[in-house]
């Protein structure tokens, strides 16, 4: 039976995985809700269940760590009521919120022992001896040799862009607004599609097209197509998806391969 007395933290039962160093806290409530929505967790909640063994505890999300070559992945940093911190994958914490968590495990399904399976023997067909007259082989017609196909010229792939892992400075222009289907809330989310995106540094990097969430921070600028922007942010290789039954004006007719996360210090020119 699970222990539900959340006010009594049993630290000796919990295996803590503390963050390696400084983690990223949430800037404000809007940033908190935006990140929870990205992880598929209910943005209105402040406390979540952490379940392990035969007990469960209420925890809060204090921030997150980023990892991967371009920082596109996150690990949550959660705090227990005794002040201890531990790291957990967003999908695992989301799975813990289900009432069925821990009752069944797909990992421990019994696998069938191949030695228990009986191999089916192939029926042997007895050959009947019959006297047959030798048949004359008709000469086969020689097939006309087909002309060799000319090899198609291979398309040269564009060189892969090495994206910086840290925050950088950008210049870009607003191309249009678009809709992306969000399977977690089963609705379309509005995003901003940017063009002429450039990472400003000693050797500038031209990204072409990129996209970002149309957050409340961006909505304050009342953006329109053609507006030129400067801002700081992180970029990841994440392709823009499609909206469900989106109007034609909110559909992008080109591939958008990069996403800009948490734009800040925005200047509209």
């Amino acid at each position: 039976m699970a222990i539900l007395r959340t006010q009594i933290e049993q630290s000796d039962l919990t295996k803590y995985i503390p963050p390696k160093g400084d983690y990223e806290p949430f800037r404000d409530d809007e940033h908190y809700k935006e990140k929870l929505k990205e992880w598929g967790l209910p943005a209105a909640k402040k406390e979540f269940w952490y379940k392990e063994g035969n007990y469960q505890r209420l925890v809060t999300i204090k921030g997150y760590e980023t990892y991967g070559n371009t920082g596109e992945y996150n690990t949550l940093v959660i705090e227990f009521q005794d002040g201890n911190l531990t790291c957990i994958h967003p999908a695992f914490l989301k799975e813990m919120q289900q009432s069925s968590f821990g009752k069944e495990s797909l990992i421990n399904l019994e696998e069938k022992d191949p030695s228990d399976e009986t191999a089916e023997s192939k029926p042997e067909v007895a050959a009947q001896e019959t006297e047959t007259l030798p048949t004359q082989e008709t000469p086969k017609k020689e097939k006309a040799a087909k002309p060799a196909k000319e090899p198609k010229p291979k398309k040269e792939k564009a060189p892969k862009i090495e994206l910086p892992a840290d925050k950088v400075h950008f210049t870009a222009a607003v191309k249009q607004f678009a809709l992306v289907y969000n399977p977690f809330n089963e609705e379309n989310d509005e995003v901003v599609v940017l063009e002429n995106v450039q990472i400003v540094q000693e050797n500038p990097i031209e990204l072409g097209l990129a996209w970002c969430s149309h957050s409340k921070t961006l909505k304050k600028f009342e953006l329109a197509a053609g507006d030129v922007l400067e801002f700081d942010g992180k970029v990841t290789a994440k392709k823009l998806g499609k909206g469900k039954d989106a109007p034609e004006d909110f559909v992008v007719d080109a591939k958008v391969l990069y996403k800009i996360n948490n734009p800040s210090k925005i200047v509209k020119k």
Side-chain angles (χ1 to χ4, degrees):
M1 186 174 182
I3 302 170
L4 300 177
R5 293 174 294 170
T6 57
Q7 73 277 12
I8 304 175
E9 181 60 57
Q10 293 183 303
S11 305
D12 56 325
L13 295 180
T14 307
K15 298 177 182 177
Y16 299 107
I17 306 174
K20 297 178 181 177
D22 293 336
Y23 60 88
E24 296 193 38
F26 302 107
R27 296 191 301 272
D28 47 35
D29 285 345
E30 190 59 37
H31 184 214
Y32 174 83
K33 292 177 181 179
E34 183 180 334
K35 293 300 292 182
L36 259 66
K37 192 175 181 182
E38 181 181 321
W39 297 323
L41 294 166
K45 293 187 68 173
K46 295 296 183 182
E47 292 183 314
F48 297 86
W49 285 114
Y50 178 91
K51 302 176 183 179
E52 186 174 327
N54 63 342
Y55 77 98
Q56 57 189 36
R57 292 285 179 267
L58 283 173
V59 296
T60 56
I61 302 176
K62 304 298 292 182
Y64 58 96
E65 294 180 324
T66 58
Y67 64 98
N69 293 334
T70 56
E72 68 270 33
Y73 303 112
N74 293 150
T75 301
L76 306 189
V77 179
I78 58 176
E79 183 180 41
F80 291 82
Q81 292 184 355
D82 62 356
N84 275 310
L85 300 178
T86 192
C87 297
I88 187 172
H89 193 278
F92 194 36
L93 184 64
K94 180 183 175 184
E95 189 178 345
M96 285 183 177
Q97 308 315 301
Q98 300 175 10
S99 58
S100 60
F101 179 83
K103 294 180 180 178
E104 292 182 353
S105 175
L106 295 178
I107 301 173
N108 296 326
L109 287 177
E110 293 184 358
E111 297 181 357
K112 289 184 179 179
D113 188 351
S115 62
D116 293 340
E117 296 180 358
T118 327
E120 293 182 358
S121 57
K122 295 181 180 179
E124 296 181 359
V125 181
Q128 296 181 352
E129 294 181 0
T130 55
E131 292 183 0
T132 55
L133 293 174
T135 55
Q136 284 188 342
E137 292 185 0
T138 54
K140 295 180 180 179
K141 293 182 180 178
E142 294 183 1
K143 294 182 179 179
K146 293 182 179 180
K149 292 183 179 179
E150 294 183 2
K152 293 182 180 179
K154 293 183 179 179
K155 293 182 180 179
E156 293 185 3
K157 291 184 179 179
K160 187 177 179 181
I161 297 176
E162 291 293 334
L163 299 175
D166 299 325
K167 270 193 174 184
V168 289
H169 191 67
F170 292 88
T171 60
V174 178
K175 174 179 170 63
Q176 68 176 91
F177 299 98
L179 294 177
V180 177
Y181 182 68
N182 187 335
F184 297 114
N185 58 15
E186 298 182 349
E187 293 179 357
N188 285 330
D189 291 340
E190 189 175 71
V191 300
V192 183
V193 180
L194 303 168
E195 60 184 353
N196 302 326
V197 181
Q198 184 188 73
I199 299 175
V200 181
Q201 55 185 21
E202 185 177 351
N203 296 316
I205 299 176
E206 301 288 345
L207 297 181
L209 297 177
W211 64 283
C212 64
S213 300
H214 197 189
S215 62
K216 285 187 178 180
T217 303
L218 283 174
K219 287 178 181 177
K220 292 177 184 177
F221 290 89
E222 299 180 353
L223 299 177
D227 287 344
V228 177
L229 305 174
E230 281 193 24
F231 54 88
D232 292 342
K234 287 186 177 183
V235 61
T236 61
K238 187 174 182 181
K239 187 178 177 182
L240 175 66
K242 294 182 179 180
K244 187 174 183 180
D245 301 325
E248 189 175 347
D249 293 344
F250 289 86
V251 176
V252 185
D253 57 358
K255 288 183 179 180
V256 186
L257 303 178
Y258 305 102
K259 181 186 179 185
I260 295 173
N261 292 321
N262 307 324
S264 60
K265 299 180 182 179
I266 303 166
V267 177
K268 177 181 171 183
K269 295 186 175 181

